């Protein structure tokens, strides 16, 4: 038999959860439905419904998840980001949080139903906004910062080391390939880059430009 103390404790717990439901709903107006179910009375479970997107009312019955928790105290406490659907067909993303009392029994459930039909056009618009043209994907058309001489020297040394040699000991073909790689990577956009590369490779500036063609 449930004591008056236990009943009062459960009611206090649910009233505290009501504050959370109200706050969450008011943080996401028109976007996320927040519902608090009193699982002690499954036929009249809904205590709070903020941003009513499903058409339910205070005092309506609980859902299948609520009934599952009532039947099984070991049912998962949190089921997050599962696909759902509003009665009018709009897609939703839902999260259900079970609330247990001190005896380990589910007495309430806090449910969040996010209307993703509102977000889908925004997602598409943002995707289009950040998309880039892949026509020139093999090489950047420009870089948005100046390459320093130190970066250039490090790049030359790294590319030379990958070929098992120092910059000056590279073969003519390797030097040509290295210069073309530097050109593709945008190093020629910096001031005096060609002269710096020429000094590192031990060739003339004209030769560097010739290799870059």
């Amino acid at each position: 038999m449930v004591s008056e103390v236990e009943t009062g404790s459960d009611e206090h717990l649910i009233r505290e959860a009501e504050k959370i439901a109200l706050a969450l709903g008011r943080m996401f107006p028109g976007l996320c439905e927040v519902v608090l179910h009193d699982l002690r009375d499954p036929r009249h479970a809904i205590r709070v419904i903020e941003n009513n997107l499903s058409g339910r009312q205070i005092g309506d019955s609980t859902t299948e998840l609520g009934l599952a928790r009532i039947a099984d105290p070991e049912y998962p406490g949190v089921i997050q980001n599962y696909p759902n659907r509003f009665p009018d067909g709009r897609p939703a993303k839902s999260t259900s949080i079970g609330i247990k009392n001190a005896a380990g029994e589910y007495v309430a459930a806090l449910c969040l139903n996010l209307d993703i039909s509102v977000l889908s056009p925004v997602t598409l618009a943002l995707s289009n906004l950040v998309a880039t043209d892949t026509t020139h994907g093999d090489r950047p058309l420009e870089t948005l910062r100046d390459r320093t001489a130190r970066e250039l020297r490090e790049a030359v040394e790294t590319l030379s080391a990958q070929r098992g040699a120092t910059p000056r000991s590279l073969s003519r073909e390797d030097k040509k390939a290295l210069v073309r790689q530097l050109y593709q990577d945008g190093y020629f956009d910096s001031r005096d880059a060609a002269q710096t590369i020429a000094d590192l490779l031990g060739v003339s500036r004209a030769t560097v430009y010739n290799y870059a063609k």
Side-chain angles (χ1 to χ4, degrees), residues 9-32:
S9 177
D10 292 350
E11 180 63 25
H12 176 75
L13 190 63
I14 293 174
R15 287 190 179 279
E16 290 298 299
E18 286 181 354
K19 299 177 186 177
I20 299 172
L22 290 169
L24 286 173
R26 292 171 185 176
M27 188 172 181
F28 303 103
L31 184 64
C32 184

Side-chain angles (χ1 to χ4, degrees), residues 91-125:
K93 183 172 76 170
S94 298
T95 291
S96 177
I97 306 165
I99 300 171
K100 288 183 176 181
N101 61 13
E105 302 167 331
Y106 282 114
V107 295
L110 183 63
C111 301
L112 312 176
N113 303 307
L114 183 68
D115 183 358
I116 59 176
S117 69
V118 177
L119 297 176
S120 295
V122 176
T123 302
L124 179 60

Side-chain angles (χ1 to χ4, degrees), residues 33-49:
E33 179 184 76
V34 183
V35 187
L36 178 65
H37 298 264
D38 183 347
L39 299 183
R40 300 172 303 171
D41 185 8
R43 288 189 174 183
H44 308 92
I46 295 182
R47 289 276 292 256
V48 173
I49 182 163

